Amino acid sequence: MTRIRVLLVDDDPLVRAGLSFMLGGADDIEIVGEAADGAEVGALVDRTHPDVVLMDIRMPSVDGLTATEALRGRDDAPQIVVLTTFHADDQVLRALRAGAAGFVLKDTPPAEIVAAVRRVAAGDPVLSPAVTRQLMAHAALNDREREVAVAVGRGLANAEIAAALYMSVATVKTHVSRILAKLDLNNRVQIALLAHDAGLLEETDRP
């Protein structure tokens, strides 16, 4: 079995110890290094070649967002999950635009953090539901765009969305393009994941 190589970056040694204990217990995850500041990350990545970096935002010298931007600019960039105790909208947006593949709160249950590492290592973005809902709200999707986002989340093709929402296929494409631009996403799969993680599909299922 190929293990997922993880680098922990947090200025709090207790947090690093907790994460190391939590992730180290998984058979398919290996902790390959730890850093206390974003300034140490580049050299550590060169030395340890992680698949995933768990990155704190607030650190004394170089913060996690700056370190994320620097890492994602590399050819061999690892996936990055931003780990934080707060979820300010501007931090979420900057982290995602910097190239972070996930954003998880530190009080997330251990099993979910392990699952997030696995999901990101497999190439899927991951956001905690609370963060995702905030992001969707901050992006200011209008009602029609939210409806289209939910339909994309249900796996409907453009023609099916057009029929369900009584609009032309061209209009659906326009809405999808606007959603991608507002949320700074690359494809429909990411829209679907965001809609799912934000709980939008469950909301529309309620009577």
Side-chain angles (χ1 to χ4, degrees):
M1 178 177 59
T2 303
R3 285 181 155 197
I4 302 166
R5 299 170 62 81
V6 176
L7 174 64
L8 304 176
V9 185
D10 195 297
D11 62 334
D12 186 336
L14 288 177
V15 170
R16 293 200 309 275
L19 288 170
S20 183
F21 178 76
M22 182 194 311
L23 293 166
D27 292 341
D28 58 339
I29 294 174
E30 178 185 0
I31 306 300
V32 295
E34 297 183 14
D37 191 83
E40 305 167 23
V41 173
L44 258 178
V45 166
D46 286 339
R47 195 158 68 245
T48 61
H49 306 291
D51 302 303
V52 177
V53 177
L54 275 181
M55 182 86 75
D56 188 25
I57 283 189
R58 288 183 169 168
M59 291 181 284
S61 176
V62 176
D63 67 62
L65 296 178
T66 302
T68 296
E69 287 165 350
L71 271 187
R72 293 302 297 168
R74 299 161 57 126
D75 292 336
D76 58 344
Q79 298 291 348
I80 297 167
V81 177
V82 172
L83 200 60
T84 188
T85 52
F86 63 101
H87 43 268
D89 294 331
D90 58 334
Q91 302 286 2
V92 178
L93 288 168
R94 190 181 156 201
L96 292 173
R97 285 172 182 156
F103 198 105
V104 177
L105 303 180
K106 287 183 182 177
D107 59 5
T108 299
E112 290 182 27
I113 293 180
V114 171
V117 167
R118 288 176 177 145
R119 199 166 146 184
V120 166
D124 294 326
V126 60
L127 294 162
S128 68
V131 170
T132 316
R133 281 193 292 274
Q134 275 204 319
L135 179 61
M136 297 287 266
H138 188 72
L141 298 184
N142 62 38
D143 289 344
R144 215 53 169 150
E145 288 163 352
R146 282 174 71 89
E147 288 177 343
V148 171
V150 168
V152 170
R154 295 187 188 287
L156 300 183
N158 286 345
E160 294 171 311
I161 297 171
L165 299 180
Y166 305 103
M167 60 176 74
S168 70
V169 172
T171 303
V172 173
K173 288 179 179 176
T174 299
H175 282 314
V176 170
S177 295
R178 284 183 185 152
I179 294 164
L180 290 170
K182 285 185 176 182
L183 294 172
D184 203 24
L185 302 175
N186 298 319
N187 55 54
R188 295 169 71 94
V189 173
Q190 291 177 329
I191 295 176
L193 286 167
L194 272 181
H196 177 271
D197 289 352
L200 296 184
L201 308 190
E202 289 84 353
E203 285 176 16
T204 56
D205 285 340
R206 293 184 193 131

